[in-house]
Amino acid sequence: MGKNRRFHGPADLHLHSVRSDGTEEPRDVIRAAHDAGMRTVALTDHDTTAGWDEAAEAASERALTFLPGMELSAREGWRSVHMLAYLFDPLDAALTSELARIRGDRIGRAERIVANIGRDYDLTWDDVLAQTSAGATVGRPHIADALVARGIAADRAAAFAGVLHPRESYYESHYAPDPRAAVRLIVAAGGVPIIAHPAPAGRDRMLPVPVIEELLDLGLAGFEIEHRENTEAGKARLRALARRHDLIVTGSSDYHGAGKPNVPGENTTSDEMVARIIERGRGSAPVFGAN
Ligand code: AMP
Ligand code: FE
Ligand code: FE
Ligand code: ZN
């Protein structure tokens, strides 16, 4: 039986742990997805592969299929673009040095945001460190947790709607490659690039189609279409594009533990699409469960 003829079962290919801005350890993320009925999972922490080994082991213990993944930060002008990447080589030199650069810059950026907030509120960098696992990719969610601990915000969502919002004077951005560079890096590392939540609400938030077509020429594999942050109109446009170019389409939860209302399995990816991702990935191997 070819590897693309396996039955993978319900698949959630977008999950976060404390290695970035989720609130649970990688093994607990895998357990939560399994408990929700998933039989195929991917850990996709922001800009890091640090959770792979623990997640793979947890998935293997539960006889789940596991795809190593990541959500790579990119930026096109003012647009933040999140590029999901599956089955790439975690030791690829160009990719690992870019990841180190992004993670490093995220720390300085978070310190600047906290210094800005500290002008008006009682918040220090130590408050943020207290909310951040050692070595984790630091992001605004950790600052949000510190704001909650200080009683300045009720929860992450309130923090993001308030002091962490880019329209506020506290906001700072971090270094991120443009999406063309992101796709090139992932493809060169043997990975499968898929744009995460490509069509969120808000005017012009979706990349212009000519840019998407440039990315397809560079090896972009598809879109995460079933995601709670994509608008219905955006999903329809993405489906049409995907049909026209015969692309991979996925659906996923973007679970962040207690950090977001998203629950594992709220959207899923079909067996056919899981098989296509596995077929295309050549930088690292999936872990196959018993199903
Ligand atoms: P950053 O990359 O540091 O700018 O932070 C963006 C991250 O914050 C994303 O990965 C989201 O997971 C998270 N995020 C964005 N908006 C919210 C929200 N309203 N509630 C909780 N988490 C959020
Ligand atoms: Fe996140
Ligand atoms: Fe994202
Ligand atoms: Zn995500």
Side-chain angles (χ1 to χ4, degrees), residues 74-76 83 177-185 211 214-215 218:
R75 182 174 305 107
E76 170 76 358
M83 196 66 71
D178 85 76
R180 298 161 195 80
V183 166
R184 280 197 198 94
L185 280 167
V211 175
E214 255 185 272
L215 299 180
L218 295 170

Side-chain angles (χ1 to χ4, degrees), residues 77-220:
W78 52 266
R79 276 187 201 86
S80 166
V81 177
H82 285 179
M83 196 66 71
L84 288 163
Y86 299 102
L87 297 164
F88 57 92
D89 176 1
L91 301 178
D92 179 88
L95 184 57
T96 53
S97 78
E98 187 71 352
L99 294 178
R101 180 175 176 192
I102 298 169
R103 287 197 307 269
D105 200 68
R106 277 175 161 282
I107 296 171
R109 171 261 198 161
E111 287 176 321
R112 290 194 298 279
I113 294 177
V114 170
N116 294 345
I117 295 173
R119 294 193 305 254
D120 294 334
Y121 297 92
D122 189 11
L123 185 79
T124 68
W125 184 239
D126 278 344
D127 294 327
V128 176
L129 289 181
Q131 302 297 329
T132 310
S133 293
T137 302
V138 180
R140 282 182 292 159
H142 302 101
I143 305 173
D145 291 346
L147 289 165
V148 172
R150 279 280 180 189
I152 300 165
D155 56 20
R156 279 190 183 183
F160 271 90
V163 290
L164 293 176
H165 199 281
R167 84 169 103 71
E168 294 296 321
S169 58
Y170 312 113
Y171 186 79
E172 304 275 347
S173 61
H174 62 79
Y175 166 75
D178 85 76
R180 298 161 195 80
V183 166
R184 280 197 198 94
L185 280 167
I186 294 162
V187 170
V192 184
I194 293 181
I195 307 180
H197 42 73
R203 211 169 130 256
D204 298 333
R205 287 284 297 282
M206 190 168 140
L207 282 170
V209 171
V211 175
I212 291 177
E213 286 175 340
E214 255 185 272
L215 299 180
L216 290 171
D217 287 340
L218 295 170
L220 177 70

